[in-house]
Amino acid sequence: MENAALALTGIGLLALGCQWLAWQIRVPAILPLLIAGIAAGPITGVLDPDAVLGDLLFPLVSLAVAVILFEGALTLDFRELRGHGRTVSRLVTWGALITALLAIVAAHLILGLSWEMASVLGALLVVTGPTVVLPLLQSLRAREHVSQILRWEGILIDPIGAIGAVLVYEFVALGLSNGAATHTLVSFAQTAVIGFGLGTAGGYLWGSVLRHYWLPQRLHSFGTLMIMLTLFTASNLLFHESGLLTVTVMGVWMANMRGCRRSRSWSSRRRCRSCSSRDCSSCWPRG
């Protein structure tokens, strides 16, 4: 237990140092974090997540991804999509499909993978995610409309890519002779119904709790976190990987719910002019 506590503390300090270094040299935080993680893990073997966390590793990672995705969804205001909605929709539909097809062909021709394995890899490579896009936007200081488009795409593509990868894997695992197409379509419908249903219901009900102050304001942040994690877990129990869609829909619903914005402590944060983020420590010190 003492070694586990020391390892967890070291991971936290390492992450803090990497983000400080990224701020100093003005590069996306994901870059030094990746380098340090690879160096401390596979290369040197100083940190072994499986040995430290054991069976809790994947559940904790899954919950952490849900928190990141939900926090990003809370910044998605529909008013920002005026004039950009078609661009975002094309990026998360046709853009994702084209990316997957190109990755499949490249994996088959260059890596020599079978078409089945190449299809699974192509579906996985569609995902960009807020953990990659948002740090890049903070460092690149792109124009406001470009930042808004990429932020929407980075957050929305995460559940789309995860669900797509699961469906492609199930299709490949079942094979064409076992009704894979029908099973995949049914799975997609189940994911959509559960994700949008729980996400919408959870966003509306919890938004009403915050809007009417049925919970003390000091518990708003903690309560929101726990309700989100509960819905995420329940959604995944109903259907595998539907939780990411649930928390994204819930976050977007709460971000655009009338009267809910005033009750949220995070809504008072001003947006950065460079990356349109409400919490941009990379850009604010530079104006």
Side-chain angles (χ1 to χ4, degrees), residues 2-219:
E2 294 180 356
N3 292 335
L6 180 61
L8 291 174
T9 304
I11 293 173
L13 291 175
L14 183 61
L16 176 62
C18 290
Q19 294 188 66
W20 176 82
L21 178 62
W23 174 66
Q24 286 291 322
I25 62 178
R26 299 185 179 183
V27 298
I30 191 66
L31 181 60
L33 285 170
L34 281 174
I35 296 175
I38 294 173
I43 295 180
T44 63
V46 173
L47 292 173
D48 186 357
D50 291 316
V52 174
L53 298 175
D55 295 336
L56 291 177
L57 176 60
F58 287 105
L60 287 177
V61 171
S62 180
L63 292 176
V65 172
V67 172
I68 294 171
L69 203 57
F70 178 71
E71 194 276 337
L74 287 172
T75 66
L76 300 181
D77 192 338
F78 283 132
R79 290 175 296 182
E80 298 175 353
L81 280 182
R82 294 172 182 172
H84 311 314
R86 182 175 297 181
T87 303
V88 173
S89 63
R90 287 176 176 175
L91 283 174
V92 298
T93 53
W94 290 109
L97 180 60
I98 293 173
T99 301
L101 292 176
L102 291 176
I104 291 171
V105 174
H108 178 71
L109 297 179
I110 299 176
L111 300 179
L113 298 178
S114 64
W115 285 112
E116 290 80 7
M117 292 299 299
S119 299
V120 176
L121 179 60
L124 290 172
L125 293 178
V126 166
V127 178
T128 53
T131 54
V132 176
V133 174
L134 298 185
L136 287 173
L137 293 178
Q138 291 176 357
S139 300
L140 296 178
R141 304 180 66 179
R143 293 183 179 180
E144 183 176 357
H145 70 281
V146 176
S147 297
Q148 291 171 354
I149 291 172
L150 293 179
R151 186 157 49 83
W152 273 84
E153 187 273 342
I155 294 171
L156 294 181
I157 199 65
D158 216 340
I160 292 175
I163 294 169
V166 171
L167 295 178
V168 170
Y169 174 79
E170 291 186 354
F171 182 86
V172 171
L174 289 175
L176 293 176
S177 60
N178 295 319
T182 302
H183 176 78
T184 301
L185 291 176
V186 172
S187 299
F188 175 77
Q190 290 177 332
T191 303
V193 170
I194 293 172
F196 281 101
L198 283 181
T200 302
Y204 173 76
L205 293 175
W206 188 248
S208 298
V209 171
L210 299 183
R211 182 173 57 181
H212 294 96
Y213 290 92
W214 293 337
L215 190 73
Q217 189 169 7
R218 66 178 181 272
L219 295 178

